Amino acid sequence: MNSDNSEEIFPVVDAAGNVVGKATRGECHGGSMLLHPVVHLHVFNSRGELYLQKRPAWKDIQPGRWDTAVGGHVDYGETIAEALRREVREELGITDFVPGAVAVYPFRSEREYELVHVFRTVYDGEIRPSGELDGGRFWSPDEIRENLGQGVFTPNFEGEAGLILG
């Protein structure tokens, strides 16, 4: 069975995003509240629909819920831009996209504390979800709004829905 690598090394950052140390995924997701950076990419098509990924049941955070098209951790020694390109390639097989910055905000749950770097793009090419995901599909803005607060989406995505849908 698949699982997240609890020994993967993440940078630990301050509120401004400056690297102040490093820790394992297990430490960062184990309630330590060590602030670590992540990247999110919202992928729209030219019809204004938003692609969402379904998180597989084996994920250690929010299994089985619909989430941002791409979401991933920044590896220790990697820039935000490098992490974004890597995650988009790994999760959706997309290499030719132009990201636009949306926001940077801290997100705290009962298990972790993330500095989230949010981007968006418009993309009409082929999307090939990897084995890291349980598939995905495009949702209309109305369909997303109808399902907010119903336990369908991750809390991260629900928090960002207002930023990206307007």
Side-chain angles (χ1 to χ4, degrees):
M1 182 174 109
N2 288 332
S3 67
D4 286 318
N5 176 1
S6 65
E7 297 305 310
E8 191 175 3
I9 303 295
F10 296 158
V12 174
V13 297
D14 63 19
N18 301 307
V19 177
V20 296
K22 60 184 174 180
T24 66
R25 173 191 287 268
E27 290 169 319
C28 289
H29 288 183
S32 68
M33 295 302 148
L34 293 170
L35 184 61
H36 58 286
V38 299
V39 293
H40 288 179
L41 180 69
H42 295 279
V43 178
F44 287 87
N45 62 25
S46 58
R47 294 183 305 279
E49 298 167 323
L50 182 62
Y51 188 90
L52 299 179
Q53 65 158 275
K54 182 137 189 222
R55 294 178 63 79
W58 54 263
K59 293 301 284 182
D60 64 349
I61 303 287
Q62 299 295 327
R65 292 205 180 177
W66 289 91
D67 200 3
T68 309
V70 174
H73 290 87
V74 177
D75 289 337
Y76 187 74
E78 189 175 44
T79 67
I80 299 301
E82 290 167 343
L84 182 65
R85 294 247 172 234
R86 175 182 52 76
E87 288 290 343
V88 173
R89 184 182 65 251
E90 287 176 2
E91 293 188 3
L92 300 181
I94 298 172
T95 57
D96 57 335
F97 69 100
V98 179
V102 174
V104 178
Y105 69 92
F107 176 81
R108 187 185 304 262
S109 73
E110 68 282 349
R111 292 182 58 188
E112 66 175 334
Y113 188 29
E114 297 176 330
L115 188 60
V116 185
H117 297 260
V118 184
F119 299 87
R120 64 177 287 152
T121 195
V122 175
Y123 182 80
D124 287 316
E126 183 182 1
I127 296 177
R128 297 177 308 279
S130 75
E132 289 185 38
L133 313 179
D134 194 13
R137 69 176 179 89
F138 281 97
W139 297 60
S140 73
D142 286 343
E143 189 179 14
I144 291 170
R145 286 184 190 98
E146 290 167 8
N147 284 283
L148 289 172
Q150 304 298 312
V152 173
F153 305 120
T154 65
N156 289 71
F157 176 74
E158 290 212 352
E160 290 176 18
L163 288 173
I164 57 157
L165 294 178

